[in-house]
Amino acid sequence: MLTQRSRYALRSMLFLATAPADSPPIPMTRIAAEANVPRKFLELILADLRDAGLLHSHRGKMGGYCLSRPAHLISLGEIIRIIEGPLALVPCVSRTAYRPCKDCKSEADCAIRHAMMRVRDETARILDGTSLADATAEDLVAA
C-alpha cells in the first residue's frame, strides 16, 4: 500500500505536470493548495524530488518549482521509488535492495518468492510505463 507521503508526492508532481512548459516556477504554497498537501510535508517531499533530479527549484520572490524534464519522461514508478524505495514487497525479489529472507530454506524453491517476483515485475511494468503525462491525460479523459 502506498504511504501518504507517496500520495502527496504523486499529487504534487501531477499538478506540476499540468503547468505549461514555458510557465514560471510554481510557488510551494500554490502546489500545497492545489495538490491538497500540508506544507510542512511538502517541503521535505519536494526537496527529495529535487535532489533526485525530477524538479528544479528557484529561489526568490518569483521562485518555486518546475519539472526538470518533460512530463512524458517522468514515470510514476520513478517517483514512488524516490519516496518509498524499492517496489518489491519482499527483499529477496528487489532489484535495487536485494536481501535474502532470513527464514527461507531455498530461494530457488520458494513459492512466495516466485509469486512476489511476478507481482514486482507487473507492478514495475505498469508504474514505469505510466508517465506523468499519461496520468494527467487519463485524468482529463475521466473528468
Side-chain angles (χ1 to χ4, degrees), residues 48-67:
D48 287 345
L49 295 168
R50 181 198 63 222
D51 292 347
L54 296 187
L55 295 176
H56 288 299
S57 63
H58 303 270
R59 295 179 182 260
K61 184 178 178 183
M62 301 302 290
Y65 291 85
C66 60
L67 299 179

Side-chain angles (χ1 to χ4, degrees), residues 3-90:
T3 64
Q4 187 66 42
R5 183 173 161 83
S6 286
R7 288 193 296 275
Y8 287 160
L10 289 168
R11 286 201 311 246
S12 300
M13 292 294 284
L14 288 166
F15 170 68
L16 288 169
T18 64
D22 59 347
S23 66
I26 299 173
M28 185 183 314
T29 53
R30 182 163 172 226
I31 298 168
E34 295 290 334
N36 195 25
V37 178
R39 186 176 170 172
K40 84 174 192 180
F41 293 115
L42 185 60
E43 284 185 58
L44 299 170
I45 292 166
L46 294 179
D48 287 345
L49 295 168
R50 181 198 63 222
D51 292 347
L54 296 187
L55 295 176
H56 288 299
S57 63
H58 303 270
R59 295 179 182 260
K61 184 178 178 183
M62 301 302 290
Y65 291 85
C66 60
L67 299 179
S68 62
R69 301 190 304 248
H72 72 277
L73 296 177
I74 299 174
S75 74
L76 300 185
E78 188 175 7
I79 297 165
I80 292 169
R81 283 185 189 93
I82 290 165
I83 301 300
E84 297 287 332
L87 296 176
L89 296 176
V90 291

